[in-house]
Amino acid sequence: MTAAGARPQGARDEAGAAIAVREIFDSIAPRYDILNHLLSSNVDRLWWWMAARRFAAILADPDAAILDICCGTGDMTMALLKRRPKNAQPILAADFARNMLARGAKKFGGRGAVALEADALHLPLRDQSLDLIVTAFGFRNLANYEAGLREFHRVLKPGGQLGILEFSTPGGLIGKAYAFYFLRVLPVIGRIVCGKQGPYRYLPDSVDNFPAPPELLEMMRGAGYAGCGWQPYTFGIAGLYTATRGPVAL
């Protein structure tokens, strides 16, 4: 059975998982970008661009209220900003890992986004206040996936949209090659570049424990979302989940 949320090694409950995840990402923040681009051969840039394109209509509205949650070092935020008109309402770029957020703020500061240190499970935002929530490769790290979906639902306006860009596990020969890379190669590269092994052992485990697309889509429907869908990217190595907030809060 898929885990209810991220469980780094040694974490016994949701509170412990959240603390462990924050510590992991704060510890690798200085080399996070170079490792991401290296390990993905820069394909991650294409994924951010494709995700931002999916929400082009909302991004083009200067009055749209937009949140990039679990923004990390801000690459998804930058992709969203490229589709924002001049003098548009600033995008909120939020993360609870302070070192990651600080590096992101250096990228998007003064370019139409505002950094917000916040926990995705306890957003300091009003009910029904956002038109769009996007998260790129951060949802997988929440301590409780269903609680995260409910919290996003709470702050989205009726008809507001949700986009979750995440890794998945492809099938067939590609899946076998992908698994070998994730389980054998990635931790070694991470240890060499980052100087520590733990964080890049956590990454493949977190992907392996993450719900498969049909399961996550069912969670989204259960949280009150409509029009739930999943668009695979690059043979299903990653994919974009999309949904619209239903009219009734749960």
Side-chain angles (χ1 to χ4, degrees):
M1 182 176 178
T2 305
R7 285 296 182 274
Q9 188 173 7
R12 297 183 177 180
D13 53 26
E14 290 183 12
I19 291 171
V21 167
R22 183 188 291 117
E23 290 176 347
I24 285 171
F25 284 97
D26 272 337
S27 72
I28 63 174
R31 298 192 177 182
Y32 182 80
D33 283 344
I34 189 172
L35 271 170
N36 260 9
H37 302 323
L38 174 64
L39 294 172
S40 71
S41 300
N42 276 324
V43 176
D44 53 347
R45 299 181 190 273
L46 174 63
W47 295 336
W48 296 320
W49 178 83
M50 293 171 69
R53 182 182 62 176
R54 170 62 177 75
F55 300 106
I58 299 177
L59 293 168
D61 179 358
D63 297 321
I66 299 166
L67 169 67
D68 177 12
I69 186 63
C70 307
C71 71
T73 58
D75 286 316
M76 186 72 244
T77 305
M78 294 300 293
L80 297 173
L81 286 172
K82 289 177 181 178
R83 295 182 177 272
R84 292 292 277 162
K86 292 182 178 180
N87 302 317
Q89 180 173 327
I91 291 174
L92 292 176
D95 203 291
F96 78 161
R98 183 172 298 180
N99 292 348
M100 297 283 283
L101 185 62
R103 299 186 75 83
K106 291 180 180 179
K107 294 180 185 178
F108 55 69
R111 298 188 179 187
V114 176
L116 174 66
E117 187 173 344
D119 186 337
L121 300 185
H122 306 282
L123 294 170
L125 300 172
R126 300 189 313 275
D127 293 359
Q128 302 183 24
S129 58
L130 298 175
D131 296 287
L132 172 65
I133 297 176
V134 176
T135 178
F137 306 112
F139 187 83
R140 185 186 72 258
N141 300 308
L142 300 189
N144 187 312
Y145 302 136
E146 292 183 340
L149 290 171
R150 291 194 299 269
E151 181 68 349
F152 298 166
H153 190 279
R154 178 185 70 80
V155 298
L156 278 172
K157 298 175 183 178
Q161 294 190 40
L162 172 65
I164 299 173
L165 178 60
E166 261 303 348
F167 288 114
S168 59
T169 304
L173 292 176
I174 292 176
K176 292 180 179 179
Y178 174 75
F180 176 82
Y181 175 75
F182 244 45
L183 295 173
R184 303 291 183 181
V185 179
L186 184 148
V188 174
I189 297 175
R191 183 177 68 248
I192 293 172
V193 176
C194 199
K196 56 187 71 179
Q197 180 169 306
Y200 286 90
R201 282 290 179 191
Y202 164 73
L203 176 57
D205 288 344
S206 68
V207 174
D208 188 51
N209 291 329
F210 192 64
E215 186 177 352
L216 185 59
L217 290 170
E218 189 59 30
M219 283 187 191
M220 295 167 76
R221 296 184 190 101
Y225 294 92
C228 303
W230 179 68
Q231 175 63 51
Y233 294 163
T234 316
F235 309 108
I237 291 173
L240 179 66
Y241 297 87
T242 56
T244 301
R245 183 200 188 276
V248 180
L250 299 181

